[in-house]
Amino acid sequence: MSETCKYPGDILENSLEKIENLLGADHGISKRSIGLLLLQEDEEIMSLVKSSEAESFAQIMEIVNHAKTHFQEPLSYIISQRRQEEASSIVSGAIEHLPKPGLPFKEKLSRVMINPVTGIPILLVILYCGIYKFVGEFGAGTVVDFIETDIFENHINPWITQVVSSIIPRHLFRELFVGEYGMITLGLRYAVALILPIVTTFFIAFAIIEDTGYLPRLALLIDRIFKKIGLTGRAVIPMVLGLGCDTMATMVTRTLPTKRERIIATILLALAIPCAAQLGVILSLLEGNSKGLWIWAGVVGLVFVLIGFLSSKVLPGDSPSFYMEIPPLRLPKLSNVFIKTYTRVKWYFMEIFPMFILASMMIWIGQITGLFSLLTKILEYPIRWIGLPDKTAVAFLFGFFRRDYGAGGLYDIKKAGLFTGNQLVVACVTLTLFLPCIAQFLMNVKERGWKTGVGISVFILLFSFTAGFIMNLILNILGISL
Amino acid sequence: MDFVNKLFKGFKPTGSCCGKKGGEIRGNLSKIAIVGSPNVGKSVMFNRLTGAYVTVSNYPGTTVEVARGKTRIGDRELEVIDTPGMYSLLPITEEERVARNILIEEKPDIIIHIVDAKNLERMLPLTLQLIEAKLKVVLVLNIIDEAEKIGMKINSQHLEKDLKVPVVSTVSTTGRGIDILKGRIEEYVRNM
């Protein structure tokens, strides 16, 4: 039977034939394919064959090594070059008309996005309109205010408190549902009034941005900066996705080619990338305090670059090379944006809702047993070191559960007027850097293993408080009050 | 509870990568695997064939987990597997390794290789590798509308003759060519 693709030099075809004759077991794909992968020294296939045909493996490797001596370039290069030639000759026979390469409008727009001089202003405009205006002001501002104040505080909370009071006379059990940390008054309110609008607006903005094909261009734009921190432009996608949900993004680090890059990206996601809910709450916390917002963004950005740079120095490995498919720019399809937002929001909500309710229950149990106040007392020490009011300890305790839940805690404290400007900014920075939520921790462990997963968490715990401490110190020494 | 499931999932070996949709499908259904470079529309095709929904994006690397679903072709039910993007049978990234392992371990009966018609020349080497691996391949020239728009014309009969596998032109987002694709799969299934 004639083969579709013949390989150059009798030596390759001969070696292949010899290897094929030595192979016995069925590996799901043809012996010829296995032979070719062995010639290209694919590690997985090599160990597969080593275990399935132990006797002839040495002989096979001998053939491979012998074949290698006949070529200057690696065999994988020779083989793929030959295949590309074959493909090109088939295509040239089948293509009846090829367009002249020109520069249509889309292509011009694409270049403007990639060129740093024009690309960075475009990026800033997208961030300003998409994140600050739409997610921050509209989602976390207007919509949250409406649901939180008008619906929950004025209607649902008083009504449900009354209803529950008439059903459950005992104060202790009433607290579980409608107390300060009650399942309805706190858990449900955080999930529906705070997190839901923020996450929804973020996912809408994100779906539009991703469907246009902007992200790979952003990857090219900041590839050079990312190289300095041991990543390539490819890592832009998990990072931007992390602004939606860091847990989801940690899974997407699988698209990064080297283990080193995957570890750096996992650390940065856990440490310095706030998720949508957190980002939204922080934007609304610092609303009307633009100096504070800039300082928060500056410090978190600095930490991102610094830790990336340091870990790229510490972790062994070569600087990665960058190669990415650039899809054409397209107008987003409304139906796709809608269904994508819907599935993501649904997934996210299903994930957090039981957690929030569970958190209320655990706090309730903690309050009865006294564990809650003990933990809060312990946390109050580091909280005081970074110059925050004692009550913030509760928000950080929430933060152990989920970062967005913790940010929600800050939201309530600010509303009660307990923060000075400085304290607010320090609290926002510390909580942004603080431990990832439980789901992300489990994902880190799943993707990177126990040692790395736990190591990252311990490092982050120490680092976030140190950063808050230093920041508070600097603000005090310089006598800045925000 | 979702959280508990997640906790357990964290301890399962990565090999048991069950997709977001459909869960595990048992029995001896014939399998169709959808493969191709990143961002050529594999997930849209999966959605078209199964009626399920997996996230679709205009950038490479959206699918990192394997999604599974069922489709009905003719009078038979088949399992459809959506795979992460791969450029070659020689993997470089984790996602490519995941995709190749499906071909090796699950031994799918039919492979739908989806290419972006505009970039046929760059993507055809994978078709050659799949044919070389003696897999039953259907080559799908997807996003054919964008190729036509820039004035590119491809003779698919000619391609079929050279490659000796079925070649179908489609636009998965609008559904153009999907019936023809199903017809060609049916031919394969009947001869199985």
Side-chain angles (χ1 to χ4, degrees), chain B residues 43-60:
Chain B
S43 296
V44 184
M45 191 62 83
F46 176 83
N47 295 346
R48 281 269 162 211
L49 289 176
T50 61
Y53 178 77
V54 292
T55 305
V56 175
S57 305
N58 187 14
Y59 60 72

Side-chain angles (χ1 to χ4, degrees), chain A residues 114-191:
Chain A
I114 296 166
N115 187 332
V117 181
T118 44
I120 288 170
I122 291 178
L123 172 63
L124 292 177
V125 168
I126 292 175
L127 285 179
Y128 180 77
C129 297
I131 304 293
Y132 184 76
K133 281 281 172 193
F134 186 62
V135 181
E137 282 192 2
F138 176 71
T142 317
V143 183
V144 168
D145 279 347
F146 175 70
I147 304 181
E148 153 90 345
T149 313
D150 292 358
I151 300 184
F152 267 86
E153 284 188 2
N154 294 346
H155 293 99
I156 295 184
N157 282 2
W159 175 77
I160 201 86
T161 309
Q162 214 180 359
V163 171
V164 172
S165 303
S166 65
I167 304 172
I168 307 170
R170 288 219 24 205
H171 178 75
L172 186 65
F173 291 104
R174 217 189 301 151
E175 282 287 298
L176 175 61
F177 298 96
V178 294
E180 194 182 355
Y181 308 109
M183 272 159 52
I184 297 168
T185 42
L186 189 89
L188 183 76
R189 180 169 63 92
Y190 273 7

Side-chain angles (χ1 to χ4, degrees), chain A residues 302-315:
Chain A
L302 193 73
V303 167
F304 181 88
V305 174
L306 187 76
I307 294 303
F309 181 75
L310 289 180
S311 47
S312 77
K313 289 273 168 275
V314 173
L315 290 169

